[in-house]
């Protein structure tokens, strides 16, 4: 339901929704998204989807304190033009992104160093192929 001012009304007449300027910006973004499409991937080519994601980590120390820090993952997914071909996902190491204390910084750096050492410095590579039953088969290597 819209009010005479164009904003969305909530329960019992309370004003809800976005301010007019924000609503206009969202509407313009939605229209722009509709006008754009995914790039065309030719046979034998892959579409690269890059994801930068921040994750929170909290650890209980031996002293009984909780220490938190943030890590960044920078993953790459290669999607084949023929979706039944192998998909390839390169999973990055969890790099320290932000710490909230010196202890958090130390834990973030240690966690990163341990992860890199455990993998011999090589990021995880996952491949997935579609079987004849269309159930994904995960191939690690």
């Amino acid at each position: 339901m819209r009010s005479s001012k164009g904003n969305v009304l909530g329960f019992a007449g309370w004003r809800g929704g976005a301010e007019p300027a924000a609503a206009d910006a969202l509407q313009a973004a939605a229209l722009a998204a509709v006008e754009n499409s995914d790039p065309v991937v030719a046979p034998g080519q892959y579409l690269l989807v890059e994801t930068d994601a921040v994750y929170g980590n909290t650890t209980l120390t031996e002293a009984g304190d909780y220490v938190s820090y943030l890590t960044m993952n920078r993953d790459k997914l290669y999607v084949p033009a023929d979706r039944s071909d192998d998909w390839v996902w390169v999973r990055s190491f969890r790099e320290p992104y932000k710490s909230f204390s010196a202890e958090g910084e130390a834990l973030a750096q240690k966690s990163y160093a341990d992860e890199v050492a455990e993998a011999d410095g090589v990021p995880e590579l996952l491949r997935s192929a579609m079987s004849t039953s269309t159930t994904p088969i995960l191939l690690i290597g």
Side-chain angles (χ1 to χ4, degrees), residues 49-55 71-77 89-90 92-93 95 97:
V49 180
E50 295 180 293
T51 302
D52 291 347
V54 175
Y55 295 97
T71 57
M72 168 76 81
N73 283 50
R74 299 176 189 273
D75 295 349
K76 294 180 180 181
L77 177 65
W89 183 15
V90 181
S92 70
F93 297 113
E95 303 171 26
Y97 180 72

Side-chain angles (χ1 to χ4, degrees), residues 6-79:
N7 286 334
V8 177
L9 293 177
F11 292 109
W14 284 89
R15 287 178 50 106
E19 291 296 320
D24 289 344
L26 291 171
Q27 178 68 19
L31 291 174
V34 169
E35 293 173 2
N36 292 304
S37 63
D38 289 338
V40 176
V41 182
Q45 292 184 330
Y46 286 78
L47 174 67
L48 172 60
V49 180
E50 295 180 293
T51 302
D52 291 347
V54 175
Y55 295 97
N57 300 272
T58 300
T59 301
L60 181 62
T61 66
E62 291 178 11
D65 298 322
Y66 287 100
V67 177
S68 297
Y69 57 92
L70 301 176
T71 57
M72 168 76 81
N73 283 50
R74 299 176 189 273
D75 295 349
K76 294 180 180 181
L77 177 65
Y78 296 88
V79 181

